[in-house]
Amino acid sequence: MTLDYQPSQESLSKLTPVLTKRWLSPDAWKIDVYERLDGYTALRKALKAHPDELIQLVKDSGLRGRGGAGFPTGMKWGFIPQNDGKPHYLVVNADEGEPGTCKDLPLMMADPHALVEGVIIASYAIRANFAAIYIRGEAVHAARRLRAAVQQAYAKGYLGTNILGSGFDLDVVVHSGAGAYICGEETALLDSLEGYRGQPRLRPPFPATHGLYASPTVVNNVETIASVPYIVLGGSQWFRSMGSEKSPGPKIYSISGRVNNPGQYECGLGVTLRQLIDLAGGMQPGHKLKFWTPGGSSTPMLTDEHLDTPMDFEGMAGVGTMLGTTAVQVFSDQDDIVYATYRWIAFYHHESCGKCTPCREGNYWMVRILHRILAGQGTHRDLDTLLDACDNLLGRSFCALGDGATSPVTSSIKYFKQDYLDYIEGRKAPMFKGELVGAH
Ligand SMILES: Cc1cc2nc3c(=O)[nH]c(=O)nc-3n(C[C@H](O)[C@H](O)[C@H](O)COP(=O)(O)O)c2cc1C
Ligand code: SF4
């Protein structure tokens, strides 16, 4: 950590520690400490309200899903049919697989009860008596902490039967996946949770009516659900006092790469990259910003032209990209964009579940073409072939993994075609020898 750097007052004023406010409190992950720091007060308040009032509150707050797509959370909860005689389920998506994303795991490590409290309130609102938290398999440390938090919550009467004398019952299970990016896609996640191979389901029907065990299910991201107790305590207007009109609330931006102090910075939606880099201690010495992703590798990358674009859902859409998971990855003039794109496509190729042809074959070929270019054996036609492959992936894949794989390719060629031509026309020394053979 570089301590001698002082961010500007303007950047510091963008910080809104809400979800992160307990992160620096020692042992905040223990239930006694959490309770001392206002923990479970939102639950007591929520259990006195009618479930429909809570759904309306979340609708009024304007909370949008923090898992990538930004779907309005209250509206999603409102889709759950009532009095249908079927069990309802809440499933929390704690898979956090999008490259560069690092917000849900730190949240679950530092403040797991915020998530557990959010799970209880959300389950009460949608009338679910069973909730599952699906966590990626590699995150053993976070799964242990979360399981401990769930046990502590049972012991204190926040989970189980007749919670706090309200008559509401809820059981929560923390389920570890086996570690596959596709299992973050909500329908693949549901299949995996049911014990099947994690592959996306055809929609419709949507999880709101046919989710876990073909019953009405809400799937929400960790940060989305952890925001709920604060909305219950602070109210919808307070929540809307942060962020922008159509993208309200605070958001944890995880910034990595060529900055001095990478980490999580919680700001109102709409902060700019310039301000985030300032908060993160500036660019590393000798590095000049070249390209960056606003929300993981599935969101088209941007350049230094976009330093002052508001990083909310609308601002990012306005410059042809997406807010995604707010995984801001910062690259400099010393980073090779063709190599970065190759690494990302190698990831998508590896993680493609293989269910549909455009993604399975498209990524197979794209990783080979990119390798060939980096080996100094590329041709001008290879660039056309890459773009053609992207045309056949985008909008033609079975799920958004295939769409997302096109983002690094099309955006890097759009902004930095010259870097590809430097390899193709021999101005840059090859990075690899020979063709890519075998599995990647
Ligand atoms: C390939 C792929 C991976 C995904 N991974 C995650 C993930 O790790 N965590 C997550 O919350 N959402 C992930 N999503 C988005 C989910 O499908 C879903 O939209 C989200 O969990 C909904 O929660 P929200 O409304 O709270 O954002 C992924 C989507 C795709 C296509
Ligand atoms: S787009 Fe890729 S990950 Fe999604 S279903 Fe098709 S093959 Fe599987």
Side-chain angles (χ1 to χ4, degrees):
M1 179 131 181
T2 310
L3 294 172
D4 52 359
Y5 183 95
Q6 189 53 36
S8 71
Q9 279 308 316
E10 191 211 340
S11 302
L12 287 170
S13 72
K14 299 291 168 188
L15 286 171
T16 54
V18 174
L19 290 140
T20 52
K21 73 175 182 186
R22 293 190 199 89
W23 286 19
L24 293 180
S25 304
D27 294 345
W29 47 274
K30 292 182 178 162
I31 197 161
D32 296 344
V33 180
Y34 182 74
E35 285 174 325
R36 273 206 301 281
L37 299 171
D38 276 351
Y40 290 109
T41 48
L43 175 64
R44 289 175 199 280
K45 187 174 171 188
L47 289 176
K48 291 189 185 120
H50 190 277
D52 288 344
E53 286 178 275
L54 293 171
I55 296 179
Q56 192 57 46
L57 174 73
V58 174
K59 278 185 185 163
D60 293 344
S61 75
L63 174 66
R64 295 173 66 172
R66 303 315 198 205
F71 193 83
T73 307
M75 193 189 290
K76 189 183 269 190
W77 293 8
F79 289 152
I80 297 294
Q82 296 304 331
N83 303 319
D84 54 345
K86 284 187 169 183
H88 298 171
Y89 298 113
L90 174 72
V91 175
V92 177
N93 192 340
D95 200 56
E96 190 154 75
E98 178 67 21
T101 312
C102 188
K103 61 182 185 72
D104 297 339
L105 285 180
L107 192 154
M108 290 185 285
M109 284 304 288
D111 201 12
H113 285 285
L115 177 61
V116 175
E117 188 174 3
V119 165
I120 308 167
I121 298 171
S123 301
Y124 175 68
I126 63 162
R127 287 87 156 173
N129 300 115
F130 177 81
I133 303 174
Y134 184 99
I135 187 165
R136 64 181 302 105
E138 295 95 329
V140 179
H141 56 310
R144 276 197 197 119
R145 181 147 293 179
L146 213 46
R147 285 196 182 106
V150 167
Q151 272 175 10
Q152 290 165 1
Y154 268 106
K156 288 250 181 174
Y158 297 124
L159 284 174
T161 48
N162 193 19
I163 294 170
L164 301 176
S166 64
F168 173 59
D169 306 335
L170 179 67
D171 283 313
V172 173
V173 160
V174 179
H175 180 97
S176 290
Y181 175 52
I182 192 57
C183 288
E185 195 281 336
E186 60 183 17
T187 60
L189 186 157
L190 293 174
D191 261 21
S192 169
L193 196 54
E194 288 181 11
Y196 299 106
R197 179 177 176 171
Q199 285 192 317
R201 296 176 180 173
L202 186 67
R203 281 171 294 186
F206 292 94
T209 54
H210 293 74
L212 189 62
Y213 307 122
S215 290
T217 302
V218 162
V219 183
N220 270 140
N221 171 259
V222 167
E223 192 185 351
T224 314
I225 291 296
S227 302
V228 170
Y230 301 103
I231 296 172
V232 169
L233 282 182
S236 57
Q237 286 314 309
W238 163 80
F239 192 76
R240 282 185 171 279
S241 70
M242 291 163 281
S244 53
E245 196 196 333
K246 291 186 178 159
S247 303
K251 180 84 192 71
I252 305 173
Y253 292 82
S254 52
I255 182 163
S256 61
R258 301 292 193 179
V259 289
N260 280 315
N261 300 327
Q264 295 77 29
Y265 294 86
E266 189 180 7
C267 300
L269 277 161
V271 68
T272 64
L273 179 69
R274 191 186 298 281
Q275 290 156 346
L276 277 178
I277 291 179
D278 192 23
L279 289 169
M283 295 292 292
Q284 287 173 3
H287 289 268
K288 185 175 173 298
L289 174 69
K290 180 167 175 179
F291 60 101
W292 58 287
T293 67
S297 58
S298 304
T299 58
M301 61 185 88
L302 297 174
T303 71
D304 59 358
E305 285 167 47
H306 307 103
L307 268 165
D308 297 309
T309 309
M311 292 188 66
D312 55 13
F313 292 102
E314 292 68 38
M316 290 294 96
V319 291
T321 184
M322 290 168 288
L323 187 66
T325 59
T326 56
V328 182
Q329 301 170 95
V330 176
F331 295 84
S332 80
D333 51 354
Q334 295 179 40
D335 297 315
D336 188 317
I337 192 157
V338 183
Y339 182 67
T341 305
Y342 162 74
R343 292 297 310 149
W344 278 320
I345 298 305
F347 167 82
Y348 289 107
H349 170 230
H350 183 263
E351 296 296 326
S352 167
C353 82
K355 180 164 180 158
C356 69
T357 310
C359 170
R360 186 184 62 240
E361 300 297 318
N363 282 305
Y364 174 92
W365 285 111
M366 287 205 295
V367 76
R368 273 159 178 74
I369 294 170
L370 286 162
H371 188 280
R372 184 158 71 215
I373 293 172
L374 285 164
Q377 296 167 359
T379 64
H380 291 91
R381 265 188 75 186
D382 280 340
L383 291 184
D384 298 333
T385 310
L386 280 174
L387 293 175
D388 192 38
C390 289
D391 266 355
N392 283 298
L393 268 160
L394 189 67
R396 293 186 166 92
S397 301
F398 191 80
C399 85
L401 187 148
D403 297 331
T406 67
S407 293
V409 176
T410 49
S411 58
S412 62
I413 296 178
K414 173 178 167 190
Y415 291 117
F416 299 104
K417 188 171 179 185
Q418 192 59 44
D419 291 54
Y420 285 88
L421 294 177
D422 285 346
Y423 276 109
I424 291 169
E425 293 170 2
R427 282 182 297 278
K428 192 155 185 189
M431 187 172 282
F432 302 130
K433 284 197 179 106
E435 280 201 25
L436 179 63
V437 283
H440 192 78

